Amino acid sequence: MNRWRALPLLALLGLSPVALAESTGEKVIQLQQQMAVMQGELNSLIAVQQASKGSQSALADVLTRTQRLEQEVRTLRGDLETQTHQLQSAQQALTDKVNALAERQAAAAPATSATASTASAAPAATLISPATALANAATSATSSALPSMGQADYQRAFDLLRQGKYGAAVTGLQDFIRKYPQSSLMPDAYYWLGQAQYVLGQNDAALRSLYAVQVRFPQSSKAPEAMLRIAEIYQAIGQTAKARFVLDKIIQQYGSTPSAQKAEAELQALPAAKK
């Protein structure tokens, strides 16, 4: 009965049952939409909170690793300081040894001077530089009075040798040997070529040139002189046994020449052969 009594009242208010139902349904929809929005906001807040927790965990991990690296750096720095100290100690010890050696050498200087004065009695050729010896020999050398094949070319190369232009002299003498193989000046050309090569530090080439004099022109006056130079080169490069062999050979083959007398003097000056 009450429901039927309310109908006139709803009619008077201008609200039909259908309209009222529609209004209520709209409100329900609105509330559902609002709840959906709020649920989305809540999910966002939860996601932010979870992300924040993840960031805090990552930050904590970074801090832990940083502390570990700092500890490793401190350890390495300590090792480096220890090694540096050890190196400095070793360097100081080496310096002390060098200084002590220098002091002992300085104390032994008088004995060294005495030895040097004794050595002055050795053959003069062993006390002067190869360049000085060659300059002296070239200055005292005389050219043959008889004209020879290619003599002008030979003289030009020999003049370069006298002027100390050893590289140019080597080239000139090699050109002469190639152009005039039948010249009577060949022994001289090979001899001076070997001398110039020795001054230039070309020991192997010098030995080949000087041996060419002894092998190809054994009767030449330059042959025993070339062998003396060979012995000197062997002495200079520390091959004493070979030097002794060549000097003995000079004495055997050219016993009546001044070169043989020089060979005997140089043999006496050589250190005693090891047994």
Side-chain angles (χ1 to χ4, degrees):
M1 294 294 291
N2 293 334
R3 182 179 61 184
W4 298 108
R5 289 176 182 176
L7 291 176
L9 179 60
L10 293 173
L12 291 174
L13 294 174
L15 298 174
S16 64
V18 176
L20 180 60
E22 291 178 351
S23 176
T24 303
E26 290 177 356
K27 288 181 179 181
V28 171
I29 293 174
Q30 291 177 357
L31 289 174
Q32 289 176 345
Q33 291 177 346
Q34 291 176 1
M35 289 179 64
V37 171
M38 292 178 65
Q39 184 66 40
E41 292 178 353
L42 180 60
N43 292 337
S44 298
L45 290 174
I46 292 173
V48 170
Q49 186 177 12
Q50 290 177 347
S52 176
K53 289 181 179 179
S55 299
Q56 290 176 356
S57 177
L59 178 60
D61 182 62
V62 170
L63 290 174
T64 301
R65 286 186 293 169
T66 301
Q67 291 173 353
R68 188 182 303 115
L69 290 175
E70 288 178 350
Q71 180 61 39
E72 291 178 359
V73 169
R74 284 194 293 269
T75 302
L76 290 174
R77 185 178 292 113
D79 293 343
L80 179 60
E81 291 176 354
T82 300
Q83 293 176 0
T84 301
H85 176 71
Q86 293 175 348
L87 178 60
Q88 290 175 345
S89 300
Q91 289 177 336
Q92 184 62 45
L94 179 60
T95 301
D96 294 340
K97 289 182 180 179
V98 172
N99 292 336
L101 178 61
E103 291 176 359
R104 288 198 296 269
Q105 289 179 340
T112 304
S113 299
T115 303
S117 63
T118 304
S120 62
T126 63
L127 299 179
I128 60 178
S129 67
T132 302
L134 177 55
N136 295 338
T139 301
S140 60
T142 56
S143 301
S144 174
L146 298 176
S148 301
M149 185 185 302
Q151 186 162 359
D153 289 346
Y154 171 83
Q155 191 62 47
R156 277 193 293 271
F158 187 74
D159 289 342
L160 290 171
L161 186 72
R162 282 180 168 174
Q163 297 167 15
K165 300 177 181 179
Y166 302 116
V170 166
T171 301
L173 290 168
Q174 289 174 333
D175 289 342
F176 171 82
I177 291 170
R178 184 173 58 255
K179 290 169 63 176
Y180 307 103
Q182 303 302 321
S183 174
S184 61
L185 293 171
M186 286 290 285
D188 298 77
Y190 272 112
Y191 175 79
W192 294 115
L193 174 61
Q195 293 273 52
Q197 289 169 329
Y198 175 50
V199 172
L200 293 174
Q202 302 169 4
N203 295 333
D204 292 340
L207 288 171
R208 287 194 296 270
S209 298
L210 293 169
Y211 266 119
V213 180
Q214 193 268 330
V215 173
R216 297 179 58 182
F217 313 101
Q219 303 305 318
S220 169
S221 61
K222 287 297 183 184
E225 295 183 25
M227 294 179 70
L228 281 174
R229 301 291 85 75
I230 291 171
E232 290 175 5
I233 293 175
Y234 279 140
Q235 291 182 61
I237 62 179
Q239 298 185 15
T240 307
K242 290 184 177 181
R244 187 183 300 278
F245 174 80
V246 173
L247 293 172
D248 283 334
K249 192 172 182 180
I250 294 173
I251 296 170
Q252 294 171 9
Q253 292 186 0
Y254 307 98
S256 59
T257 63
S259 296
Q261 297 175 359
K262 293 179 182 179
E264 290 180 355
E266 292 188 13
L267 268 176
Q268 294 176 1
L270 286 177
K274 294 183 181 179
K275 296 182 181 180

